[in-house]
């Protein structure tokens, strides 16, 4: 195996690396914009960053991100329902790492189009899939759902930190739980509950790493990625977080492709 260590002192443009782990370390804001090709659902990003402190929702409730079908890229079937299945469990950022322990028994609830409360807890999620809305005659949909955080006393409230949930989009016929189209991968939503911007950035970067072949160390601000592809060659790389959702490449080692 040919190894080549490359030490660089300048900031590299991360788009040179065709890997989603690096792309997802950037901030992704706005609505979830799905489209459908055949039986597969695609989205504009797999990572979204709403804030429980936004003006519209107050300290503990938000309706972001919304869901806005990109008709130009691929419409859905009129009359069908766009839905999501909760995935995994609620996780809390304690300032150093993501944990399955919440400080005050927090949970996140999403109220769907039928008024059902979809619950995310540290010990699991609701089994019932949510209904986002009915697809319009043009194959599109634009909906927002109320998302709230509760504490152990069942009151609106949450400890300062970041909270991570995941969901997987699918399409069904009306009044049916059977999928007719499904997303290729889960969507991660990281909620900010009172963290300063830079501290929230670290939480988001680490959340992106949970699904990838990489490790982010908050104490040092370094991101180690086991395999990226650049200009036809595979590398093991190390990056340093330099703020404002940007990373500096500090080391790259040429490797053979990991299967």
């Amino acid at each position: 195996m040919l190894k080549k260590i490359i030490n660089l002192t300048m900031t590299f443009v991360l788009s040179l690396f065709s890997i989603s782990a690096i792309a997802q370390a950037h901030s992704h804001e706005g609505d979830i914009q799905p489209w459908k090709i055949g039986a597969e659902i695609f989205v504009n990003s797999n990572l979204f960053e709403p804030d429980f402190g936004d003006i519209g929702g107050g300290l503990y409730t938000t309706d972001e991100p919304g869901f806005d079908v990109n008709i130009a890229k691929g419409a859905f079937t009129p009359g069908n329902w766009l839905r999501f299945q909760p995935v995994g469990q609620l996780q809390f950022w304690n300032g150093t790492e993501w944990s399955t322990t919440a400080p005050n028994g927090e949970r996140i609830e999403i109220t769907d189009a039928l008024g059902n409360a979809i619950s995310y807890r540290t010990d699991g999620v609701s089994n019932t899939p949510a209904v986002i809305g009915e697809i319009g005659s043009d194959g599109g949909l634009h909906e927002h759902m109320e998302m709230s955080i509760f504490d152990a006393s069942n009151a609106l409230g949450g400890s300062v930190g970041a909270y991570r949930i995941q969901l997987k989009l699918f399409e069904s016929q009306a009044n049916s739980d059977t999928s007719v189209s499904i997303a290729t991968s889960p969507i991660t939503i990281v909620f900010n509950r009172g963290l300063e911007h830079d501290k929230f950035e670290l939480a988001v970067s680490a959340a992106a790493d949970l699904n990838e072949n990489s490790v982010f160390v908050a104490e040092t601000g370094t991101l180690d990625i086991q395999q990226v592809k650049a200009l036809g060659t595979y590398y093991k790389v190390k990056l340093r977080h330099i703020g404002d959702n940007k990373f500096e490449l500090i080391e790259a080692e040429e490797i053979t492709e990991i299967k």
Side-chain angles (χ1 to χ4, degrees):
M1 179 176 66
L2 177 62
K3 293 183 177 180
K4 185 178 181 182
I5 303 297
I6 307 172
N7 293 304
L8 300 166
T9 57
M10 65 177 292
T11 301
F12 268 61
V13 179
L14 296 181
S15 60
L16 290 176
F17 294 96
S18 58
I19 181 170
S20 61
I22 297 180
Q24 288 180 354
H26 285 201
S27 177
H28 298 282
E29 299 176 349
D31 287 346
I32 297 169
Q33 298 176 29
W35 66 91
K36 186 180 71 169
I37 300 176
E40 288 188 287
I41 298 173
F42 302 88
V43 291
N44 54 321
S45 174
N46 287 320
L47 180 61
F48 294 86
E49 307 165 31
D51 194 329
F52 279 126
D54 61 25
I55 295 175
L59 292 178
Y60 307 115
T61 299
T62 183
D63 65 356
E64 301 293 343
F67 298 81
D68 189 7
V69 170
N70 189 330
I71 301 174
K73 287 190 174 183
F76 287 73
T77 302
N80 279 0
W81 286 356
L82 181 62
R83 312 187 67 173
F84 76 79
Q85 179 66 51
V87 176
Q89 62 197 127
L90 176 66
Q91 295 194 27
F92 174 75
W93 175 255
N94 61 19
T96 302
E97 63 182 0
W98 284 100
S99 169
T100 55
T101 301
N104 192 24
E106 284 86 357
R107 74 179 189 280
I108 287 177
E109 286 192 358
I110 301 177
T111 303
D112 77 356
L114 300 182
N116 298 317
I118 310 301
S119 181
Y120 285 83
R121 306 171 307 279
T122 55
D123 62 351
V125 297
S126 299
N127 291 325
T128 304
V131 178
I132 298 170
E134 182 177 337
I135 305 298
S137 59
D138 62 350
L141 169 148
H142 187 189
E143 295 288 348
H144 290 257
M145 298 183 294
E146 185 173 277
M147 307 182 189
S148 303
I149 186 168
F150 295 84
D151 60 25
S153 68
N154 204 34
L156 284 171
S159 304
V160 171
Y163 296 81
R164 174 186 181 271
I165 66 172
Q166 288 190 302
L167 55 87
K168 196 162 188 176
L169 295 178
F170 72 97
E171 178 188 4
S172 75
Q173 294 183 346
N175 298 298
S176 170
D177 289 338
T178 303
S179 171
V180 296
S181 298
I182 193 165
T184 56
S185 59
I187 295 168
T188 298
I189 301 177
V190 180
F191 296 91
N192 187 4
R193 210 337 261 147
L195 283 177
E196 296 178 358
H197 178 70
D198 287 347
K199 292 181 179 179
F200 183 58
E201 277 187 23
L202 295 179
V204 171
S205 296
D209 300 340
L210 293 179
N211 296 329
E212 303 295 340
N213 64 336
S214 54
V215 176
F216 181 79
V217 181
E219 292 90 339
T220 61
T222 57
L223 175 65
D224 292 295
I225 304 176
Q226 300 305 307
Q227 177 176 284
V228 297
K229 185 179 181 181
L231 305 177
T233 303
Y234 291 90
Y235 296 91
K236 177 179 179 180
V237 301
K238 183 185 293 289
L239 303 99
R240 180 187 296 114
H241 186 248
I242 58 176
D244 195 27
N245 292 310
K246 295 179 180 178
F247 286 80
E248 178 186 28
L249 180 66
I250 57 176
E251 185 175 290
E253 176 183 343
E254 188 176 330
I255 61 172
T256 57
E257 181 181 4
I258 301 173
K259 302 294 186 178

